[in-house]
Amino acid sequence: VEETKDVLPLAASLRQLLKKNHPQADYEVVVPLEQLRIAEETKRIFNVVLGAIAGISLVVGGIGIMNIMLASVTERTREIGIRRALGAQRRHIVLQFLVETVVLSSVGGLVGIAFGLITPWLVTRFSNLTTIVKPHFLIMSFGISALVGIVFGIYPAMRAARMDPIEALRHE
């Protein structure tokens, strides 16, 4: 055929012609283009499944970060009350806890990036398979980890900022 778009219709025509003129199916028409499309579809499904697993992992990690920060807010109630009594505004408290959350999630992101660099290196070294790590994925993964910190840190930060200073100072 002259063009790629004509391969599949021609293969279908050949199959019909062979079926009509050769009733015994002791032949097979193999079209590499079909196999390539099947491989691409399999790869797409695999990427969707891996993306779903990664998304679930991010949500679980974010919930863990939120729980840690809620515990921190509870433990530091008196500190929050003192800061508020000395003139700290709600936005200062929110900013303090958001910075802590972003630092926590960013450190986790850096550890993940380290594993993401070491694992392909080990695969290349011990299996003779070539692996490629693109820099923009490293930057994107770090940004996502910081974003997870912001998203899941908002509720604990807002909860800390909404504390009544007098009640917070009475807290033991």
Side-chain angles (χ1 to χ4, degrees):
V1 295
E2 289 184 18
E3 294 187 32
T4 307
K5 67 179 177 74
D6 298 329
V7 171
L8 295 178
L10 179 62
S13 298
L14 282 172
R15 285 187 183 107
Q16 284 183 332
L17 185 64
L18 282 168
K19 188 176 183 180
K20 182 178 176 185
N21 294 326
H22 193 74
Q24 186 178 0
D26 57 355
Y27 59 87
E28 185 177 357
V29 177
V30 177
V31 181
L33 185 61
E34 289 174 339
Q35 293 174 337
L36 181 64
R37 290 207 173 135
I38 291 170
E40 286 174 350
E41 180 65 17
T42 303
K43 180 181 172 187
R44 188 187 66 76
I45 291 169
F46 189 66
N47 285 342
V48 167
V49 169
L50 283 178
I53 291 169
I56 291 168
S57 299
L58 285 173
V59 169
V60 169
I63 290 170
I65 288 172
M66 185 168 45
N67 284 335
I68 289 169
M69 293 311 295
L70 284 170
S72 177
V73 167
T74 303
E75 290 174 4
R76 296 165 64 187
T77 300
R78 194 158 173 78
E79 172 194 334
I80 295 166
I82 291 170
R83 286 196 67 211
R84 289 289 309 229
L86 291 175
Q89 297 175 353
R90 287 184 175 186
R91 63 186 169 94
H92 296 132
I93 304 296
V94 168
L95 186 63
Q96 173 189 349
F97 281 93
L98 276 180
V99 166
E100 289 177 24
T101 306
V102 169
V103 167
L104 182 66
S105 64
S106 296
V107 168
L110 290 173
V111 170
I113 288 171
F115 278 115
L117 290 171
I118 291 169
T119 303
W121 178 79
L122 290 172
V123 167
T124 300
R125 180 168 170 105
F126 294 113
S127 71
N128 294 325
L129 294 174
T130 303
T131 56
I132 299 170
V133 177
K134 296 184 179 179
H136 64 276
F137 287 124
L138 299 175
I139 295 166
M140 185 176 70
S141 62
F142 183 77
I144 289 172
S145 69
L147 182 66
V148 165
I150 292 169
V151 169
F152 286 93
I154 288 175
Y155 175 70
M158 295 298 289
R159 185 168 169 187
R162 282 194 297 259
M163 284 186 184
D164 180 33
I166 295 169
E167 290 298 319
L169 287 171
R170 287 185 189 159
H171 183 75
E172 266 312 306

